[in-house]
Amino acid sequence: MTRFHIRPGGEVAAALRDGRPVVALESTIVSHGLPRPDNLRVAREIEQAVRAAGAVPATIGMVAGELVVGLDDAQLTRLATADGVAKLSVRDLAVAAATGADGATTVAATSAVAAAAGIGVFATGGLGGVHREAAQTFDESADLVTLARTPIAVVCAGVKSILDVGATLERLETLGVAVLGYRTRRFPGFYLTDAGFDLDWSVDSPEQVADVLAARVQQGVHHGGLIVANPLPADEQLDPALHDRTLTEGLARLGRDGVTGKAVTPFLLAHFHAATEGASLAVNVRIILRNADLAARIAVAAARRTATTA
Ligand code: PSU
Ligand code: MN
């Protein structure tokens, strides 16, 4: 059982106790995915988007070894601005706690902790997945295997276009993680509206996602994750030509600089933000805010459904 801290008497504790909607948020996008100083402002805006849609935000992260579900503003500020904040996947949580580290939780770690805390919906930007060249490097995000065993709905804009999207979808199928397009049958490509792959299923409303979640529980087959893939509208995506150029450049730099392991994703995201002179940042922020809004509406629909069927 994961040990974590939920501030007693705080809004997250109260909402969980009363069965009101809560949305988990990750901190790796804040500490490692978004450039400073915008990251703190965006982190607060994400929480605000969840609130505006009627749910309570619970940003998850580690502060001085304490795994916190529902960071307060001082803790969020610390993870957004301090030096040496570790990037924590599931395997890092215990050692980070035991050594008193500050750390930001990835999709994998956030999902695991959120589910253990009883939170059923999580919003992020894009999932990790299978990296290009994975056939040689074996670089596949722990996000995938963690979602195979973690009961949570993750709202995202697909996986980052820096990845091998086709291979990622194949792995999600193998791992038993359902992928629902939100008002689309095409899998989104994070910065891009369409990553070029069809989906088997699409849902049209938060209520329909809540129906799916309820059906899983009713069937007793709900030990894994559910991905709700929410694409940006085409007129809000990053210019595809600029995207392709930037990606080619970024991948070349990655090889030249010998970047590997968990540094790969932050490196490529930082390259995008610098090389597009902020255009990718603006798109990234829109993605996260839209996902936070949808996740909150799903959490509201799920809470309402539970309340009426209880
Ligand atoms: N999506 C973003 N920005 C990010 C990430 C995802 O828009 O910073 C982070 C998430 O925390 C995700 C992690 O879990 O990158 C994946 O890292 P890796 O590929 O090393 O597993
Ligand atoms: Mn990796």
Side-chain angles (χ1 to χ4, degrees):
M1 173 81 178
T2 320
R3 287 194 44 130
F4 45 82
H5 177 77
I6 301 179
R7 191 158 45 89
E11 57 176 350
V12 175
L16 286 173
R17 186 196 55 224
D18 301 342
R20 284 186 284 115
V22 178
V23 171
L25 299 167
E26 60 153 315
S27 43
T28 292
I29 50 176
V30 178
S31 303
H32 301 282
L34 296 166
R36 300 174 184 195
D38 304 271
N39 60 342
L40 178 57
R41 172 182 56 82
V42 176
R44 290 177 175 144
E45 286 175 12
I46 301 168
E47 294 197 342
Q48 195 42 46
V50 170
R51 285 204 175 87
V56 172
T59 306
I60 293 175
M62 186 171 289
V63 179
E66 185 171 58
L67 188 52
V68 181
V69 176
L71 296 166
D72 64 26
D73 198 64
Q75 293 169 326
L76 196 61
T77 303
R78 175 161 162 168
L79 293 188
T81 58
D83 291 325
V85 175
K87 176 177 162 184
L88 306 179
S89 193
V90 176
R91 67 173 186 168
D92 306 304
L93 289 172
V95 62
T99 56
D102 281 351
T105 49
T106 63
V107 168
T110 305
S111 301
V113 176
I119 300 174
V121 186
F122 168 24
T124 184
L127 295 182
V130 180
H131 283 261
R132 295 162 190 242
E133 322 275 312
Q136 283 81 46
T137 62
F138 277 68
D139 189 356
E140 173 184 322
S141 176
D143 292 355
L144 300 188
V145 70
T146 302
L147 283 179
R149 56 171 186 244
T150 306
I152 196 153
V154 185
V155 181
C156 62
V159 299
K160 277 155 290 182
S161 45
I162 59 178
L163 300 168
D164 184 335
V165 179
T168 303
L169 285 169
E170 293 291 351
R171 287 290 290 146
L172 287 169
E173 180 182 359
T174 305
L175 293 167
V177 179
V179 184
L180 314 182
Y182 190 73
R183 299 187 174 156
T184 182
R185 289 242 177 194
R186 299 282 284 177
F187 192 58
F190 193 63
Y191 295 129
L192 302 178
T193 300
D194 183 346
F197 295 87
D198 287 325
L199 293 174
D200 290 338
W201 299 101
S202 130
V203 286
D204 295 326
S205 65
E207 289 72 25
Q208 217 174 13
V209 179
D211 289 345
V212 174
L213 291 171
R216 283 161 35 108
V217 173
Q218 205 223 336
Q219 291 166 342
V221 186
H222 55 103
H223 51 272
L226 179 76
I227 293 174
V228 180
N230 184 31
L232 272 180
D235 60 352
E236 291 185 27
Q237 70 180 337
L238 192 62
D239 170 36
L242 174 63
H243 171 272
D244 294 354
R245 248 189 350 260
T246 308
L247 180 57
T248 306
E249 238 170 62
L251 292 170
R253 278 191 54 199
L254 195 68
R256 243 189 355 253
D257 296 3
V259 178
T260 58
K262 68 187 194 180
V264 169
T265 298
F267 179 92
L268 285 172
L269 290 171
H271 170 74
F272 260 88
H273 295 327
T276 65
E277 292 169 352
S280 72
L281 173 62
V283 171
N284 202 336
V285 171
R286 275 202 297 279
I287 288 169
I288 304 170
L289 294 178
R290 286 169 47 86
N291 292 345
D293 171 72
L294 178 57
R297 290 186 293 124
I298 291 169
V300 167
R304 197 169 285 149
R305 209 175 188 295
T306 310
T308 53
T309 54

